[in-house]
């Protein structure tokens, strides 16, 4: 399932009453599209005397990027609610997921048979569910150890990365493509030459619908753009 705002509001009210003694004030809720997080609690904080932090302006964000089992969505909401409880009650934890966080998480898991975790890694299956078509600038590189590397350029950094990739010592050869194959959604877009090793066979297979890019000076165009000229 993918969460909606009414769904999150309903779960927030339900868990607040059940697991947090109704002690959490309602807060703004937003849907996110991040691939790196399932949920996050945003806030402002400022220093107050005795080196304490004062937290305010809380916003709960739940990612709808991937299709997830309902239990995982619920546990994500609970995870963020624990952060919210700690910060809004001015409790000083030993770290972001410190002793207080873990104690509360373990209590809720035990009492309500939940499976909240500190971190959540996306499974391969969840990544496959990200089928949205977005255009990617992809650099495929042959690495000197024989592996294949994939680099996705942030759209504003294509030319800089185009210059930078061949300078990377481990890159022996590279070429650029434009593609909207969702396979490439799993790689983060880079502003520096970050290379992700990938299966050569898989990459080739997903480049079938891609267009090769060629560059002349500061102009980048698709290689086959001129093929139909008469
Ligand atoms: Zn957390």
């Amino acid at each position: 399932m993918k969460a909606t705002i009414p769904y999150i509001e309903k779960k927030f009210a339900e868990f607040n009453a059940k697991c947090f003694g109704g002690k959490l004030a309602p807060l703004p809720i937003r849907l996110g599209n991040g691939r790196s997080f399932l949920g996050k609690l945003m806030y402002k904080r400022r220093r107050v005397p005795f080196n304490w932090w004062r937290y305010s302006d809380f916003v709960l964000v739940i990612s709808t990027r991937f299709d997830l089992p309902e239990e995982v969505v619920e546990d994500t909401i609970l995870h963020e609610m624990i952060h919210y409880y700690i910060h809004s009650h001015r409790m000083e934890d030993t770290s972001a997921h410190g002793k207080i966080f873990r104690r509360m998480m373990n209590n809720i898991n035990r009492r309500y048979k939940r499976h909240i975790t500190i971190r959540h890694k996306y499974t391969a299956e969840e990544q496959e569910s990200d089928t949205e078509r977005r255009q990617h600038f992809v650099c495929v590189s042959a690495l000197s150890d024989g592996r294949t590397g994939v680099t996705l350029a942030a759209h504003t950094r294509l030319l800089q990365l185009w210059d930078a990739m061949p300078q990377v010592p481990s890159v022996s050869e590279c070429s650029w493509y434009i593609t909207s194959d969702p396979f490439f959604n799993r790689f983060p877009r880079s502003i520096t030459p970050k290379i992700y090793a990938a299966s050569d066979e898989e990459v080739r297979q997903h480049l079938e619908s891609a267009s090769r890019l060629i560059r002349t000076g500061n102009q980048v165009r698709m290689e086959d753009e001129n093929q139909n000229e008469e």
Side-chain angles (χ1 to χ4, degrees):
M1 70 166 294
K2 292 191 181 196
T4 61
I5 292 198
Y7 174 83
I8 301 165
E9 282 170 347
K10 194 182 101 202
K11 287 293 164 186
F12 181 92
E14 182 188 317
F15 294 145
N16 189 19
K18 197 164 86 175
C19 314
F20 297 90
K23 287 182 182 153
L24 293 173
L27 79 170
I29 291 168
R30 281 195 223 142
L31 302 179
N33 192 31
R35 67 183 50 257
S36 58
F37 68 93
L38 284 173
K40 65 182 171 187
L41 179 72
M42 302 198 306
Y43 50 78
K44 287 185 184 144
R45 66 174 191 175
R46 60 187 170 85
R47 281 263 179 222
V48 290
F50 307 110
N51 238 10
W52 285 43
W53 292 102
R54 181 69 40 88
Y55 295 81
S56 64
D57 301 272
F58 296 101
V59 180
L60 170 63
V61 187
I62 299 295
S63 175
T64 53
R65 166 63 64 90
F66 296 128
D67 203 354
L68 298 167
E70 179 166 20
E71 221 219 348
V72 175
V73 177
E74 288 176 333
D75 286 341
T76 302
I77 296 170
L78 278 165
H79 176 117
E80 301 313 324
M81 287 176 79
I82 298 174
H83 284 307
Y84 180 43
Y85 188 94
I86 291 171
H87 292 319
S88 61
H89 286 77
R90 297 185 195 161
M91 298 157 88
E92 292 275 308
D93 205 348
T94 51
S95 65
H97 302 108
K99 284 185 181 156
I100 300 176
F101 187 97
R102 282 158 202 258
R103 195 176 61 224
M104 290 183 70
M105 180 181 85
N106 293 336
N107 277 340
I108 294 172
N109 281 342
R110 199 168 43 237
R111 289 177 65 176
Y112 305 103
K113 298 196 167 52
R114 308 290 331 177
H115 302 93
I116 313 164
T117 53
I118 296 292
R119 246 172 256 286
H120 179 90
K121 283 219 165 65
Y122 292 116
T123 63
E125 193 188 333
E126 285 156 11
Q127 289 189 333
E128 299 298 337
S129 79
D130 181 12
T131 54
E132 187 196 330
R133 294 187 79 79
R134 298 190 293 280
Q135 241 174 19
H136 300 298
F137 293 127
V138 179
C139 180
V140 176
S141 44
L143 304 176
S144 43
D145 62 5
R147 291 185 304 165
T148 296
V150 170
T151 302
L152 254 66
H155 284 199
T156 53
R157 299 298 174 98
L158 177 61
L159 293 178
Q160 286 97 317
L161 284 178
W162 197 300
D163 289 332
M165 288 302 299
Q167 315 293 331
V168 177
S170 59
V171 170
S172 55
E173 208 188 314
C174 62
S175 37
W176 284 90
Y177 299 87
I178 187 166
T179 175
S180 48
D181 188 310
F183 168 78
F184 293 97
N185 292 1
R186 71 197 60 194
F187 301 99
R189 287 183 178 175
S190 307
I191 57 172
T192 55
K194 286 210 184 70
I195 299 171
Y196 297 88
S199 139
D200 186 64
E201 195 191 331
E202 224 177 349
V203 172
R204 300 288 151 206
Q205 184 190 328
H206 289 281
L207 280 177
E208 271 168 19
S209 63
S211 298
R212 181 90 181 253
L213 291 172
I214 48 175
R215 177 175 170 183
T216 320
N218 283 341
Q219 297 276 356
V220 172
R221 60 182 173 78
M222 285 186 258
E223 189 177 48
D224 38 10
E225 259 180 1
N226 287 340
Q227 274 181 358
N228 294 327
E229 272 183 8
E230 296 199 32

